[in-house]
């Protein structure tokens, strides 16, 4: 898997060198590669009849892990919010996001999930060529995806410059999200006697980045754990999209950001702006960038321990 990480780092370097060129195609390329990878994962799941029969049980495990990890992260965010001075906590210049933005985010997630279930149906049909189910196909697609992700990160250095305006204490939010998620996932893992602690922590380390984390975990742990990771991180994103107003009310304005994990600079950003305020946009972007970047490293760490 070091090859995949090298692809991402090489992409960042190339993106930095090409930062003056327009790359409007890059976002579409990332989406297409994610669709391909989720389709291939679906084929692997659908081809495994025993795994299909256990999907209801896997869905319950995924829901528990998602809920535990999310609650752990928002509890940590609440502590940080309470620790801020009243002056910092009291600033609020909200600019409500359009409802269409949230619907668009849900639509994008639905498309990705749709490709997974399309792959499941294709696998169930038994008519898929053997070459499509080979691990090599997923590996090469994953390398291409990580190269594009790195290229996108390196191509946008202005985002890094904006992070300098962060309140020093708010810079701790990504680390608290990671620690809180691990704590919540570990607690849930105590009740899942057939799952190891490292398995639960690997699933939690997706932080809502269901496409990438499920692919990594599938490579190391097999299709069953990859499916749990996919479902758990989808549920986490849905909790953020649908429950952000309640999280902000009960746990403070940082809670929706922490709940969103790696998605707070893209799919969950509209609802975060709506519920947490425009003044926390930079915090959300910094949080999403940092947590997103950590996913391949942390998932791999817990998979190999």
């Amino acid at each position: 898997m070091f090859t995949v990480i090298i692809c991402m780092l090489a992409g960042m370097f190339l993106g930095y060198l090409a930062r003056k060129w327009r790359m409007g195609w890059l976002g579409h390329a990332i989406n297409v590669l994610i669709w391909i990878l989720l389709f291939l994962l679906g084929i692997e799941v659908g081809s495994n009849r025993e795994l299909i029969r256990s999907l209801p049980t896997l869905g319950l495990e995924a829901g528990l892990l998602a809920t535990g990890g999310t609650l752990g992260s928002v509890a940590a965010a609440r502590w940080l919010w309470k620790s801020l001075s009243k002056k910092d906590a009291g600033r609020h210049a909200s600019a409500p996001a359009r409802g269409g933005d949230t619907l668009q985010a849900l639509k994008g997630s639905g498309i990705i999930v749709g490709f997974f279930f399309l792959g499941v149906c294709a696998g169930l049909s038994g008519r898929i060529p053997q070459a499509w189910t080979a691990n090599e196909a997923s590996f090469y697609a994953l390398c291409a995806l990580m190269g594009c992700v790195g290229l996108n990160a390196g191509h946008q250095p202005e985002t890094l410059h904006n992070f300098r305006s962060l309140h020093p204490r708010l810079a701790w939010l990504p680390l608290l999200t990671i620690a809180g998620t691990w704590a919540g996932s570990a607690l849930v893992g105590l009740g899942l006697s057939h799952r190891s602690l490292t398995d639960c922590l690997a699933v939690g380390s997706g932080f809502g980045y269901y496409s990438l984390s499920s692919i990594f975990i599938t490579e190391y742990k097999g299709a069953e754990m990859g499916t749990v990771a996919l479902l758990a991180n989808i549920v986490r994103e849905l909790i953020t999209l649908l429950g952000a107003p309640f999280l902000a009310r009960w746990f403070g304005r940082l809670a929706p950001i922490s709940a969103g994990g790696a998605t707070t600079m893209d799919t969950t950003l509209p609802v975060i702006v709506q519920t947490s305020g425009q003044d926390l946009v930079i915090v959300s972007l910094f949080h999403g960038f940092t947590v997103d970047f950590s996913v391949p490293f942390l998932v791999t760490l817990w998979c190999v321990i």
Side-chain angles (χ1 to χ4, degrees), residues 88 94 128 143 151 168 173 203 261:
D88 294 316
S94 62
I128 300 298
C143 287
L151 193 63
L173 183 59
V203 171

Side-chain angles (χ1 to χ4, degrees), residues 9-248:
L9 296 176
M12 292 180 68
F13 178 70
L14 292 175
Y16 180 78
L17 293 179
R19 61 191 182 280
K20 294 182 180 180
W21 298 350
R22 295 186 62 182
M23 293 188 179
W25 54 269
L26 195 54
H28 298 296
I30 291 174
N31 285 335
V32 170
L33 287 168
I34 287 175
W35 296 342
I36 292 172
L37 283 164
L38 267 296
F39 180 71
L40 292 173
L41 174 58
I43 290 175
E44 186 172 352
V45 172
S47 302
N48 189 325
R49 302 291 177 173
E50 184 176 344
L51 182 55
I52 288 294
R53 287 193 293 268
S54 62
L55 270 181
T57 302
L58 298 181
L60 177 60
E61 291 180 19
L64 292 173
L65 286 169
T67 302
T70 304
L71 289 177
S73 66
V74 299
R78 184 179 186 276
W79 174 83
L80 178 60
W81 183 247
K82 291 291 186 181
S83 71
L84 295 175
S85 67
K86 292 183 179 180
K87 178 180 178 180
D88 294 316
R91 291 183 303 173
H92 184 68
S94 62
R98 295 169 295 175
D101 291 335
T102 303
L103 292 177
Q104 187 66 28
L106 286 170
K107 179 182 177 181
S109 299
I111 291 173
I112 291 176
V113 175
F115 271 91
F116 170 73
F117 283 107
L118 185 62
V120 171
C121 294
L124 286 170
S125 71
R127 299 179 180 178
I128 300 298
Q130 185 65 32
W132 286 41
T133 61
N135 289 333
E136 288 82 2
S138 296
F139 177 74
Y140 291 132
L142 179 58
C143 287
L145 172 62
M146 293 307 295
C148 288
V149 169
L151 193 63
N152 188 54
H155 190 252
Q156 302 180 37
E158 67 277 1
T159 302
L160 297 175
H161 295 311
N162 291 335
F163 295 161
R164 296 176 182 175
S165 63
L166 277 176
H167 186 287
R169 289 189 183 181
L170 291 176
W172 287 96
L173 183 59
L175 294 178
L176 290 174
T177 293
I178 292 171
T181 299
W182 284 350
S185 299
L187 285 175
V188 171
L190 294 176
L192 302 177
S193 56
H194 59 295
R195 301 292 183 198
S196 68
L197 176 62
T198 54
D199 284 348
C200 295
L201 291 173
V203 171
S205 295
F207 306 114
Y209 200 163
Y210 47 82
S211 55
L212 187 62
S213 62
S214 61
I215 293 161
F216 268 87
I217 291 176
T218 299
E219 292 288 331
Y220 279 103
K221 300 289 187 177
E224 180 176 310
M225 281 307 302
T227 302
V228 172
L230 175 68
L231 296 175
N233 286 287
I234 288 173
V235 170
R236 177 163 186 159
E237 181 173 335
L238 290 175
I239 289 174
T240 306
L241 289 170
L242 302 178
F246 306 100
L247 294 174

